[in-house]
């Protein structure tokens, strides 16, 4: 296998701007069909289960408050988690950035003499591009989540944070499995494909003594780690190996064990449209005789603490990675995940990715939204994504304005002129007079403008613009006042 | 790359600086936590019977098999379920009541069995800590009667005995029952499943493909 093949598509530092990256997707009807189908199924299931839950809004309010409280007091809860986890036999490591996290994990694997490692799906490991790094260092990585196997064997990238291979259909999965597992007679029945994955992994679960996981939650009160999953591959990785390494963002902390009563009620319903995911595993350090006897947690910052510092943006870190926002997003529904150029696509990705990049990359993502607010409405922890999108947009614009080359950029020039025009009534009326003459040149007989030059073309290339009416409001108002009856045409 | 201890201090310092204006002094943390609005449903309003019916209905919806029995009939019910499974070798957690280990089957009592030995078994019988009706969830805290995590994972067939008195309506009710927080816990809601291929739900990927629940009515019900 050649998992060392590196796919720059989901590296925000190298990805193309969203408006460019999206073009090949929009021209791929198969991919769009696959994405729309998957999303329609999840949305329908979620909708039914949310209606059934009469206290849904109260759960959202509590979920949001718990996450806010945890983040506002993150320092206290992180150190509490560290203390309790350590007391229970775990070893806590701290990684300031992706490079440090990768190195810590590699060092731990070297201590174990591990040449192979089994993995539970973790978006955080994709964020730090762990697999290509480990492969290059000679450690073979085996993803064990069905969707992740499809992607790893197909040398593809995740396009969704909960259902990462939703852009791949059964025929494509059959082709990948038949080729990579050497199963010529495989059919495209999902049951048979799933069974192929089960057989492919069974021995690896039993033989490979080292595993890597992410975490859905860390519990400060107990030092416990929580992983939710469906297939049982997570339980395999958490139970059978000798050594377990968990990689978790520092924001994943919950204050108390009992907070799970809120999070677990909203997470599966939001994520997969299930009342509860088939398996939830909770463990605390090391338990003699049960599961891995060596346990490491790597706490990753990688830009999170700088997000935490900003009042409006801080809420980004409340995210529990349910993906409800991408399922509800009209933009994601059309584009799928790859166009976002990040392992975190959709509305949450549009706010999280540029911030994790300290606003040095992915600046087009905050604009990849219609601001319709559907993401905010479905978010189980009430992240006001549109509010953060607007804040980031203003930061991007301010950043661009300061660039020297932008001084004569038609858009910024136009906006500066507009600023002047709107500042005085007489300038406005004068501009209006000349503007009407100017636009009149482009107005066709049908009263519409079909094409404008320069920056105006950005509007007319996708939609027409109505020509200006014959009379202005001011003109109409003046004419109305002049008539004694007060009626004007 | 900086030394690990240095990163710890750096990260914590950055986190503390970032939350300087909102973080509470340690003495006020508990009070602030207590004031988090929790207006969601804590206690369900169902009758005991309705709650048990809901539990059974939700388990079945996620492809679990459910049978009801009484304390007196329990050993016979377990024996019948085992016979019906067509399987012969079963793992029993260290503390499983002897009466549940029906005769005529091969039992492997778990006193630290290896994964290979457990994998050879065809099924497993355990007790549970709790059942949650609202989501059809079985809660294991991995006590001596519930077994180590691995024994309810490798065998393909899991029979779980839940007493009616262990069934609660809502998830918060389970958390109220916990008392001391468990170090290990597994929540099972239906058998292992995936919907990764075209959102088609497939039962049984890596965990047990068959989940059987025996619900034991308390006497007088």
């Amino acid at each position: 296998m050649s998992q060392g093949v590196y796919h720059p598509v989901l590296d925000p530092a190298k990805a193309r701007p969203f408006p460019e990256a999206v073009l090949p997707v929009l021209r791929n009807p198969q991919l769009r069909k696959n994405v729309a189908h998957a999303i329609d199924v999840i949305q329908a299931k979620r909708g039914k289960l949310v209606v059934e839950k009469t206290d849904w809004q109260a759960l959202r309010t509590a979920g949001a408050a718990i996450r806010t409280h945890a983040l506002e007091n993150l320092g206290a809860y992180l150190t509490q988690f560290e203390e309790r986890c350590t007391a229970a036999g775990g070893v806590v490591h701290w990684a300031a950035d992706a490079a440090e996290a990768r190195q810590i994990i590699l060092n731990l694997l070297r201590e174990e003499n591990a040449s192979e490692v089994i993995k539970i799906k973790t978006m955080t490991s994709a964020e730090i591009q762990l697999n290509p790094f480990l492969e290059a260092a000679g450690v073979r990585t085996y993803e064990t989540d069905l969707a992740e196997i499809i992607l790893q064997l197909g040398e593809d990238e995740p396009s969704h944070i909960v259902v990462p291979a939703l852009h791949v259909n059964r025929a494509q999965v059959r082709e990948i499995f038949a080729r990579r597992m050497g199963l010529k007679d495989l059919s495209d029945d999902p049951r048979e494909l799933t069974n192929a994955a089960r057989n492919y992994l069974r021995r690896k679960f039993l033989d490979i003594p080292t595993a890597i996981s992410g975490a859905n939650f860390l519990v400060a009160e107990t030092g416990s780690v929580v992983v939710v999953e469906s297939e049982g591959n997570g339980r395999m990785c958490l139970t059978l190996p000798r050594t377990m390494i968990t990689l978790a963002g520092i924001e994943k902390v919950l204050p108390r064990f009992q907070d799970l009563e809120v999070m677990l009620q909203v997470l599966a319903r939001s994520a997969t449209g299930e009342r509860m995911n088939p398996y939830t595993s909770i463990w605390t350090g090391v338990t003699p005789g049960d599961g891995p006897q060596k346990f490491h947690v790597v706490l990753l910052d990688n830009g999170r603490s700088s997000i935490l510092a900003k009042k409006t943006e801080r809420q980004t870190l409340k995210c529990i990675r349910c993906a409800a926002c991408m399922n509800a997003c009209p933009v994601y529904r059309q584009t799928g995940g790859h166009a976002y150029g990040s392992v975190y696509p959709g509305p949450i990705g549009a706010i999280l990715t540029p911030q994790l990049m300290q606003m040095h990359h992915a600046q087009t993502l905050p604009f990849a939204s219609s601001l319709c607010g559907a993401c905010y409405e479905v978010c189980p922890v009430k992240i006001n994504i549109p509010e953060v999108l607007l804040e980031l947009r203003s930061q991007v614009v301010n950043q661009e304005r300061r660039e020297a080359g932008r001084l004569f950029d038609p858009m910024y020039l136009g906006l500066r002129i507009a600023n002047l025009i709107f500042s005085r009534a007489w300038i406005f009326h004068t501009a209006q007079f000349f503007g009407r003459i100017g636009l009149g040149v482009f107005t066709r007989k049908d009263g519409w403008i079909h094409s404008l030059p320069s920056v105006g073309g950005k509007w007319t290339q996708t939609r027409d613009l109505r020509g200006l009416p014959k009379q202005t409001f001011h003109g109409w108002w003046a004419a109305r006042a002049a008539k004694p009856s007060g009626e004007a045409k | 790359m900086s030394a690990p201890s240095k990163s710890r201090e750096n990260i914590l310092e950055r986190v503390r600086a970032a939350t300087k204006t909102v973080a509470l002094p340690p003495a006020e943390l508990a009070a602030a936590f207590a004031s988090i609005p929790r207006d969601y449903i804590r206690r369900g309003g169902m009758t005991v019977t309705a709650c048990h019916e809901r539990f059974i209905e939700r388990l079945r919806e996620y492809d679990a098999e459910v049978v009801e029995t009484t304390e007196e009939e329990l050993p016979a019910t377990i024996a019948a379920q085992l016979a019906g499974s067509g399987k012969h070798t079963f793992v029993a957690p260290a503390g499983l009541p002897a009466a549940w280990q029906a005769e005529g089957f091969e039992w492997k009592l778990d006193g630290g069995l290896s994964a290979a030995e457990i994998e050879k078994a065809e099924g497993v019988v355990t007790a549970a800590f709790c059942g949650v009706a609202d989501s059809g969830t079985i809660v294991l805290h991995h006590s001596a009667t519930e077994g180590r995590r691995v024994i309810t994972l490798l065998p393909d067939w899991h029979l779980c005995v839940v007493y009616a008195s262990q069934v609660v309506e809502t998830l918060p009710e389970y958390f109220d029952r916990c008392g001391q927080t468990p170090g290990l816990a597994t929540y099972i809601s239906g058998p292992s499943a995936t919907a990764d291929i075209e959102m088609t739900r497939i039962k049984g990927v890596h965990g047990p493909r068959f989940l059987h629940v025996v619900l034991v009515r308390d006497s007088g019900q």
Side-chain angles (χ1 to χ4, degrees):
Chain A
M1 291 197 291
S2 56
Q3 276 110 46
V5 178
Y6 178 56
H7 308 275
V9 63
L10 295 193
D11 179 354
K14 292 171 187 161
R16 286 183 295 166
F18 185 83
E20 274 176 44
V22 85
L23 293 175
V25 185
L26 295 178
R27 291 178 193 128
N28 184 341
Q30 181 63 61
L31 190 136
R32 293 177 69 184
K33 210 176 123 193
N34 296 351
V35 172
H37 167 75
I39 282 180
D40 288 347
V41 173
I42 308 177
Q43 282 286 80
K45 285 168 74 186
R46 178 198 170 272
K48 259 192 242 163
L49 289 191
V50 165
V51 168
E52 169 187 299
K53 206 82 192 129
T54 52
D55 55 347
W56 184 252
Q57 295 307 333
L59 283 167
R60 284 182 76 213
T61 305
I66 291 167
R67 293 294 297 134
T68 302
H69 173 83
L71 291 171
E72 289 181 349
N73 300 284
L74 191 58
Y77 286 127
L78 273 175
T79 45
Q80 190 183 20
F81 171 81
E82 181 190 39
E83 181 200 314
R84 304 283 153 92
C85 179
T86 309
V91 183
V92 179
H93 308 258
W94 301 73
D97 55 23
E100 189 177 0
R102 289 189 298 247
Q103 197 57 51
I104 290 171
I105 292 172
L106 181 63
N107 292 348
L108 291 172
L109 293 174
R110 292 236 159 104
E111 277 173 33
E112 296 295 313
N113 290 318
S115 58
E116 296 178 309
V117 64
I118 44 176
K119 289 185 72 202
I120 314 179
K121 172 174 168 284
T122 142
M123 299 316 294
T124 315
S125 109
E127 174 191 324
I128 65 166
Q129 295 166 4
L130 183 64
N131 287 8
F133 176 81
L134 293 182
E135 297 278 344
V139 181
R140 202 141 136 189
T141 59
Y142 291 98
E143 292 292 346
T144 62
D145 173 79
L146 178 56
E148 294 285 349
I149 301 167
I150 295 169
L151 298 177
Q152 194 174 35
L153 295 183
E155 295 180 17
D156 198 348
E157 292 284 344
S159 70
H160 190 278
I161 60 172
V162 170
V163 203
L166 93 173
H167 60 286
V168 185
N169 68 16
R170 62 179 74 187
Q172 294 164 318
V173 176
R174 193 212 79 86
E175 189 277 319
I176 293 164
F177 281 9
R179 180 161 49 87
R180 298 302 299 270
M181 296 179 186
L183 303 167
K184 297 274 178 293
D185 302 325
L186 200 62
S187 86
D188 68 354
D189 174 15
R191 194 172 308 277
E192 203 177 311
L193 295 169
T194 304
N195 210 30
R198 180 186 171 104
N199 295 335
Y200 169 75
L201 284 176
R202 196 73 177 187
R203 286 256 62 90
K204 305 214 180 343
F205 285 134
L206 290 165
D207 294 343
I208 300 178
T210 316
I212 295 174
S213 84
N216 289 91
F217 305 104
L218 307 172
V219 183
E221 176 192 26
T222 57
S224 309
V225 184
V226 184
V227 164
V228 307
E229 49 137 355
S230 298
E231 299 172 11
N233 64 306
R235 291 184 68 197
M236 291 280 183
C237 294
L238 297 172
T239 311
L240 294 173
R242 280 198 311 260
T243 304
M244 180 77 219
I245 303 168
T246 296
L247 172 68
I250 52 171
E251 84 282 16
K252 297 271 170 148
V253 182
L254 293 177
R256 299 196 189 177
F257 178 67
Q258 195 159 15
D259 294 328
L260 292 170
E261 73 186 19
V262 178
M263 297 305 160
L264 294 178
Q265 286 200 74
V266 295
L267 180 53
R269 283 182 170 87
S270 298
T272 50
E274 293 171 303
R275 295 195 181 91
M276 186 81 101
N277 48 288
Y279 296 131
T280 299
S281 295
I282 302 169
W283 74 98
T284 313
V286 169
T287 307
D290 192 338
Q293 296 300 299
K294 286 189 197 167
F295 174 55
H296 299 271
V297 182
V298 181
L299 296 173
L300 175 73
D301 183 342
N302 204 28
R304 286 161 174 79
S305 57
S306 69
I307 302 177
L308 192 64
K310 294 165 194 142
K311 191 167 168 286
T312 305
E313 293 96 308
R314 182 181 299 140
Q315 56 184 317
T316 311
L317 299 174
K318 288 197 294 187
C319 179
I320 57 171
R321 305 284 191 267
C322 73
C325 60
M326 55 201 74
N327 300 336
C329 179
V331 176
Y332 179 92
R333 194 179 189 285
Q334 298 301 325
T335 65
H338 289 165
Y340 291 82
S342 160
V343 294
Y344 305 113
I348 188 64
I351 60 171
L352 180 60
T353 306
Q355 295 188 77
L356 286 177
M357 295 286 112
Q358 322 263 352
M359 302 305 288
H360 294 312
H361 300 285
Q363 292 100 328
T364 54
L365 291 186
F367 297 87
S369 166
S370 66
L371 298 178
C372 73
C375 47
Y376 182 24
E377 207 174 290
V378 296
C379 178
V381 291
K382 290 192 179 173
I383 302 171
N384 189 339
I385 294 178
E387 185 188 31
V388 183
L389 282 167
L390 282 176
E391 170 60 31
L392 298 182
R393 282 183 185 189
S394 79
Q395 289 177 20
V396 172
V397 168
N398 283 332
Q399 215 176 44
E400 283 186 355
R401 276 204 317 198
R402 282 193 298 269
E403 289 169 21
R406 299 279 180 179
L407 196 59
F408 297 105
D409 180 285
M411 187 167 83
Y412 286 98
L413 197 62
L415 287 172
R416 277 201 300 277
I417 293 169
N419 193 19
L420 176 74
I421 289 171
F422 287 113
S423 66
R424 299 276 185 281
W426 70 268
I427 309 181
F428 178 74
H429 289 301
T430 314
Q432 206 174 30
F433 176 76
F434 288 107
R436 294 173 72 80
I437 296 172
L439 278 181
V441 175
F442 298 100
T443 309
R444 302 278 171 79
K445 281 197 190 102
D446 60 4
W448 287 85
I449 298 166
H450 298 290
S451 149
L452 280 172
S454 180
V455 70
K458 282 192 179 173
W459 178 277
T460 53
Q461 72 183 5
T462 48
R463 33 194 148 14
D464 293 338
L465 179 66
R466 194 180 274 284
L468 291 175
K470 296 213 161 53
Q471 195 177 26
T472 65
F473 176 77
H474 278 108
W476 174 82
W477 187 258
R480 177 182 173 275
K483 286 194 179 174
S485 66
E487 284 192 20
K489 270 192 180 175
Chain B
M1 206 187 93
S2 51
S5 59
K6 205 176 154 209
S7 275
R8 179 186 186 276
E9 293 321 311
N10 288 346
I11 293 170
L12 283 172
E13 200 173 295
R14 280 205 299 269
V15 165
R16 288 192 182 115
T19 53
K20 196 172 56 208
T21 56
V22 285
L24 297 163
E28 291 170 32
L29 209 53
F33 179 83
S35 71
I36 286 172
R38 293 177 188 269
D39 299 326
Y40 50 87
I41 298 170
R42 248 225 99 79
R43 301 213 154 272
M46 285 182 155
T47 64
V48 174
T49 316
C51 174
H52 294 164
E53 275 163 19
R54 167 66 56 88
F55 181 55
I56 294 168
E57 166 202 316
R58 296 271 152 101
L59 279 168
R60 288 193 176 137
E61 224 174 287
Y62 283 145
D63 299 322
E65 299 279 337
V66 188
V67 289
E68 293 175 75
T69 188
T70 59
E71 177 74 60
E72 296 74 43
E73 293 294 315
L74 178 58
T77 307
I78 293 174
Q81 288 287 308
L82 297 181
S85 74
K87 300 181 190 302
H88 184 67
T89 326
F90 295 92
V91 178
L96 198 76
W100 297 11
Q101 297 172 38
E103 286 186 23
F105 302 95
E106 191 185 327
W107 289 92
K108 291 183 177 187
L109 197 63
D110 180 34
L113 292 171
S114 72
E117 283 172 294
I118 296 164
E119 154 129 88
K120 278 188 214 132
E122 296 164 290
V124 58
V125 178
T126 71
F129 175 79
C130 181
V132 183
D134 182 50
S135 53
T137 301
I138 305 276
V139 176
L140 301 180
H141 280 184
H142 304 288
S143 68
T145 53
E146 297 155 53
R148 295 187 301 143
R149 289 179 293 171
V150 65
I151 68 165
T152 47
L153 180 61
L154 290 177
D156 207 20
W157 192 91
H158 178 195
L159 182 117
C160 187
V161 177
V162 183
Y163 282 87
S165 59
Q166 292 179 308
V167 178
V168 296
E169 187 184 330
T170 68
L171 194 64
E173 284 174 61
Y174 149 67
F175 280 88
D176 287 342
R177 279 198 181 195
C178 274
Q180 214 176 1
T181 56
L184 285 180
T186 306
Y187 308 155
I188 301 172
S189 308
S192 155
T194 183
D196 275 344
I197 302 174
E198 295 189 13
M199 304 312 294
T200 312
R201 190 181 158 93
I202 304 292
K203 185 171 115 173
V205 192
H206 304 295
R209 277 183 279 200
F210 304 94
L211 175 64
H212 288 242
V213 176
V214 176
L215 184 62
V216 189
R217 300 274 186 193
D218 303 304
S219 2
Q221 266 186 35

